[in-house]
Amino acid sequence: MVDIAENGRTWLLSGPASSYALHLTEADELLHLHWGPRIALADAEALALSPLPAYWPFESPLDGREEYPVEGGPRFVRPALSVRTEERRGTEWRFVSHQSEGDELRLTFDDDGLAVTLHYRMRGDVLERWVTVANGGHARVELLRADAATWTLPDREGWRLSQLHGRWAAESLLATAPLTYGEKIIGSRRGHTGHQHLPWVALDTDATEERGEVYGCALGWSGSWRIAVAQLPDARVQITGGAGYDDSGLLLLQPGESYTTPVFAGLWSDGGFGGASRTWHAYQRAYVIPDADRDRPVLFNSWEATNFDISEEQQAALARRAADIGVELFVVDDGWFGARTSDRAGLGDWTPNPDRFPHGLKPLADQVHGLGMQFGIWVEPEMVNPDSDLYRAHPDWVQYQPGRKRTELRNQLVLNLAREDVQEYLWEQLDTLLSSAPIDYVKWDFNRCFTDAGWPGEPYPQRLWVDHVRALYALLDRLRAAHPSVAFESCSGGGGRIDLGVMSRTDQVWTSDNTDPLDRLAIQHGFSQIHPARVMAAWVTDSPNTQLNGRESSLRFRFVSSMAGVLGVGGDLTEWTGEELAEAHRWVELYKEIRPVVQRGDQYRLRPPAGGLSAVQYVLGDETVVLACLQAQHYGEPVPALRLRGLDPTASYECRETGEVHRGAVLLHHGLRTGLKGDLDATVLRLCRI
Ligand code: DGJ
């Protein structure tokens, strides 16, 4: 809901537990007033009366207080908006109008024909912010930088910054450190979201997992991006974020053209990091993820089992095994198309390899359907191998700098998706593919970063960075509209493209190529800070782990680790013994029982993976599920009990595994024993309120 002061210059947006307020001075300076617990309009109006500090001339009274600091005038902070016209650089705006509708507020400013609109939309307790810049009068406007928002934190001492960092096979690792003066910058200059940072930060001073104030910000953009967290000279903290890594130019706006930034969402929670995560999860399930109330099926993916060496008969054999253990969706990964027998060839030619699938994909898809499963397929549409029919026909369709070497990574080049002919080619190829066989699922991969992002002949080639992402989104939207029953997975060599932007167009994401169940606990712990289990794909693969570390682990440990998200199986089932297959079947059936609670419930991180016992708990209505993993038991000491969360202290709960009845108050205060011991042990405990 939006409250507006009578003078039309103070605005208050409120969700169930939080409020956000801003104020426009008589000089048209837009100041931040409040972000935190719910307040009344009168409180915001009282805050608006506080005078700006009298810093001058070496500091600016506006710095650290403005909603959207533009370049120019008495400001020394990082500008969120930087524009260049034929005459000058910078912005000096005049307030034009405000509009509000439901939970949405729009404030429009004008600078001599350049219209800047700040958008605010409350979604539960998550505030979405974005900006539109429109050229209404200039011969040309160069947008050097247009961030989606600047967030301002209240005055506190001792801010800490949490981030999710990583690299291939080690994504989403949580790191927290004190913030000091100056700027901390995270982002990607790789053309995709990147494995190195999830576009999320959290700021707190003394929060714990379940208590204390946490501020979180997350960007919905799948290209290069930047989030700058600045502690200013007076210790105030601002967080600015948007598309693009540097300020060298996003787009050129011709008269009548406009640019809309991605959404930079933010929340305040006083429920600690756990409370903040649950608010993020609820927001994504309600407003971001398509059909989030529909649970995701258990899938099998062929990648680790068969790599590039695939055939129709061999995939059919795997499919029969997968069906036997209860899998619901069978996905053929890389290697089914063009001349793709290794990573050296074939990308770009999205028709079935005639030697491997002589009658196309339909016979296999029909067999899979006949086994009672859905059928899925892998693609990597934004790429091309030089050894492909597509590249031979259109060598100029890739990103390249004239006269320079075309950098190959994984033997592939990036297609220039900003070109309309490339967009049309991909649409035709993928639309034809999805119409050629009963395909229910597309795993959409992206396996290299931009390196030579040039576009010979294009007057403003920088636009390729933004336009690639826009074209990707448009292609996904068009395919989804034309094939509404097909679900999509976002993958980028594991977790290289996970963000709120792609998540609004895909049904789940591939978390990491690291399928080692122990490493996964830390990756999943980080992932859950922002994203819900409902999108977090996790596969049980072979032991010893073939991809990374050779670690041996039991099926039990592998399954429990993977049941914390959308369960998948990725091992070579043709090599599994009858006993292993029977055990796998039992775990898959158990997952199906707990799936609604895991995928739709409130998640509580009971203990982080730190070497010993770790556990996550999910609560949906009367049902509770605990997934507990013990990495190593030391010194013969008993494994600690798990203090549960989110239960009714006055109720009793029956544990399905043991038949024991526990008092809610006891589970909350004293905890539940897991019975785990030794190394790499794990268990699932289901509790039902009675
Ligand atoms: C990278 C993905 O993350 C893997 O799961 C697999 O699909 C390979 N690409 C295939 O090339």
Side-chain angles (χ1 to χ4, degrees):
M1 118 187 184
V2 184
D3 288 305
I4 305 171
E6 252 176 53
N7 65 5
R9 295 181 89 88
T10 298
W11 298 272
L12 176 69
L13 295 105
S14 297
S18 63
S19 289
Y20 189 95
L22 56 157
H23 170 68
L24 188 72
T25 68
E26 291 304 322
D28 281 358
E29 299 146 338
L30 187 64
L31 302 182
H32 175 76
L33 295 180
H34 171 83
W35 185 21
R38 233 187 123 108
I39 58 170
L41 183 60
D43 302 318
E45 289 177 306
L47 281 166
L49 297 176
S50 320
L52 285 173
Y55 303 145
W56 206 241
F58 291 107
E59 304 295 342
S60 166
L62 295 175
D63 282 356
R65 285 165 184 81
E66 283 192 300
E67 273 294 288
Y68 193 68
V70 296
E71 184 179 22
R75 302 174 176 92
F76 309 111
V77 292
R78 171 182 289 281
L81 181 68
S82 176
V83 294
R84 185 158 56 194
T85 61
E86 321 87 307
E87 304 93 30
R88 55 184 170 243
R89 198 175 155 139
T91 306
E92 201 175 273
W93 70 26
R94 187 178 57 76
F95 179 61
V96 176
S97 64
H98 67 110
Q99 292 101 38
S100 85
E101 214 186 303
D103 287 330
E104 224 176 309
L105 171 69
R106 282 192 300 281
L107 305 178
T108 302
F109 299 83
D110 173 74
D111 178 14
D112 201 15
L114 182 79
V116 181
T117 305
L118 310 191
H119 301 257
Y120 296 81
R121 181 165 60 199
M122 209 72 199
R123 297 289 211 191
D125 277 309
V126 171
L127 179 60
E128 293 180 339
R129 293 181 59 187
W130 70 99
V131 169
T132 309
V133 184
N135 178 5
H138 296 271
R140 53 181 267 151
V141 169
E142 193 181 2
L143 268 188
L144 299 168
R145 180 86 203 163
D147 279 311
T150 293
W151 298 92
T152 305
L153 301 186
D155 287 340
R156 301 272 192 277
E157 280 168 25
W159 283 110
R160 295 188 299 182
L161 170 67
S162 296
Q163 60 182 114
L164 296 168
H165 73 101
R167 58 195 154 78
W168 178 79
E171 300 90 333
S172 311
L173 302 177
L174 179 64
T176 300
L179 198 65
T180 53
Y181 289 93
E183 281 186 316
K184 170 83 183 178
I185 294 195
I186 61 168
S188 155
R189 52 193 302 279
R190 299 164 184 259
H192 65 129
T193 323
H195 301 78
Q196 293 68 26
H197 301 280
L198 257 63
W200 168 90
V201 289
L203 280 296
D204 78 298
T205 56
D206 55 1
T208 62
E209 180 63 19
E210 292 300 334
R211 260 182 288 280
E213 286 189 309
V214 174
Y215 288 85
C217 300
L219 194 64
W221 185 244
S222 311
S224 293
W225 59 277
R226 180 180 76 199
I227 295 178
V229 183
Q231 183 167 313
L232 302 173
D234 61 359
R236 290 178 76 93
V237 173
Q238 286 193 314
I239 303 148
T240 301
Y245 188 79
D246 59 22
D247 307 339
S248 65
L250 283 173
L251 292 171
L252 195 63
L253 299 183
Q254 304 295 347
E257 286 185 343
S258 65
Y259 167 69
T260 299
T261 70
V263 166
F264 197 17
L267 65 75
W268 167 87
S269 166
D270 66 352
F273 287 92
S277 298
R278 286 186 288 281
T279 304
W280 278 126
H281 297 176
Y283 158 70
Q284 287 164 71
R285 286 194 302 258
Y287 299 105
V288 179
I289 303 160
D291 300 325
D293 48 357
R294 219 180 294 155
D295 294 340
R296 296 298 312 150
V298 177
L299 68 73
F300 175 86
N301 179 291
S302 67
W303 176 243
E304 289 200 25
T306 51
N307 226 263
F308 291 105
D309 189 16
I310 70 175
S311 70
E312 184 179 317
E313 189 33 53
Q314 162 229 47
Q315 294 295 306
L318 273 171
R320 288 191 287 276
R321 289 267 165 124
D324 284 348
I325 64 168
V327 163
E328 298 159 310
L329 162 63
F330 183 84
V331 184
V332 178
D333 208 282
D334 205 344
W336 60 268
F337 53 92
R340 187 78 167 169
T341 52
S342 74
D343 64 16
R344 305 202 149 271
L347 288 176
D349 304 336
W350 299 108
T351 46
N353 178 317
D355 300 331
R356 295 176 165 197
F357 296 91
H359 307 288
L361 291 171
K362 192 166 182 308
L364 179 61
D366 285 343
Q367 283 193 63
V368 167
H369 282 164
L371 291 163
M373 296 182 291
Q374 296 181 341
F375 179 71
I377 199 80
W378 178 96
V379 292
E380 193 180 358
E382 296 148 89
M383 302 292 167
V384 66
N385 286 115
D387 185 0
S388 66
D389 292 342
L390 176 64
Y391 189 74
R392 281 182 283 273
H394 299 285
D396 55 334
W397 276 13
V398 298
Q399 300 178 355
Y400 71 102
Q401 301 284 354
R404 293 282 160 84
K405 197 168 95 189
R406 300 180 182 199
T407 311
E408 291 180 26
L409 298 173
R410 209 195 189 205
N411 308 302
Q412 63 197 55
L413 299 164
V414 186
L415 285 174
N416 183 355
L417 248 66
R419 292 177 61 124
E420 278 175 23
D421 43 11
V422 173
Q423 294 164 13
E424 217 32 48
Y425 171 80
L426 290 179
W427 156 254
E428 274 164 23
Q429 290 276 303
L430 295 170
D431 180 50
T432 307
L433 172 65
L434 294 183
S435 310
S436 71
I439 294 171
D440 307 290
Y441 186 82
V442 172
K443 174 178 174 182
W444 187 299
D445 209 342
F446 180 96
N447 279 302
R448 60 155 291 177
C449 313
F450 291 11
T451 49
D452 318 298
W455 186 353
E458 160 62 32
Y460 199 77
Q462 293 98 305
R463 77 180 177 92
L464 170 160
W465 295 85
V466 167
D467 283 351
H468 183 104
V469 183
R470 287 172 159 179
L472 164 73
Y473 287 172
L475 190 54
L476 280 167
D477 291 347
R478 194 170 170 192
L479 288 166
R480 289 188 80 98
H483 304 274
S485 62
V486 178
F488 288 79
E489 169 180 336
S490 172
C491 170
S492 171
R497 189 148 68 191
I498 299 175
D499 59 80
L500 296 175
V502 82
M503 216 161 264
S504 66
R505 302 174 160 85
T506 47
D507 299 82
Q508 60 188 72
V509 298
W510 182 220
T511 318
S512 175
D513 273 347
N514 186 338
T515 59
D516 172 71
L518 181 60
D519 286 357
R520 263 305 179 102
L521 297 179
I523 293 171
Q524 294 175 176
H525 178 73
F527 185 97
S528 75
Q529 299 294 323
I530 162 95
H531 300 301
R534 165 64 176 69
V535 295
M536 188 183 77
W539 309 340
V540 172
T541 54
D542 293 332
S543 171
N545 181 278
T546 50
Q547 295 277 305
L548 286 174
N549 54 25
R551 181 177 284 125
E552 289 185 38
S553 57
S554 63
L555 262 185
R556 161 180 285 274
F557 192 80
R558 280 175 275 156
F559 265 100
V560 176
S561 168
S562 297
M563 284 158 88
V566 179
L567 178 67
V569 178
D572 185 356
L573 296 181
T574 58
E575 295 291 318
W576 289 20
T577 64
E579 241 171 66
E580 284 173 324
L581 291 168
E583 183 181 344
H585 185 229
R586 289 195 295 275
W587 286 113
V588 169
E589 292 310 311
L590 174 59
Y591 179 74
K592 288 177 187 168
E593 267 183 50
I594 64 170
R595 167 165 57 192
V597 187
V598 171
Q599 295 195 11
R600 276 181 273 139
D602 287 335
Q603 183 177 342
Y604 296 84
R605 293 180 292 260
L606 300 181
R607 290 174 66 99
L613 177 67
S614 67
V616 278
Q617 179 195 349
Y618 307 82
V619 180
L620 184 69
D622 291 341
E623 304 283 335
T624 286
V625 171
V626 177
L627 303 177
C629 293
L630 178 65
Q631 181 178 349
Q633 187 181 15
H634 291 290
Y635 318 116
E637 282 174 359
V639 174
L642 286 171
R643 283 181 65 188
L644 304 192
R645 302 274 173 243
L647 303 182
D648 178 353
T650 65
S652 292
Y653 294 84
E654 184 177 344
C655 177
R656 298 250 192 95
E657 277 54 48
T658 61
E660 284 169 5
V661 173
H662 303 271
R663 308 279 308 158
V666 174
L667 291 171
L668 288 166
H669 196 78
H670 297 276
L672 178 70
R673 296 258 161 223
T674 58
L676 297 180
K677 58 179 186 322
D679 291 348
L680 298 187
D681 197 6
T683 191
V684 178
L685 295 165
R686 290 167 298 170
L687 294 140
C688 184
R689 185 188 171 126
I690 48 175

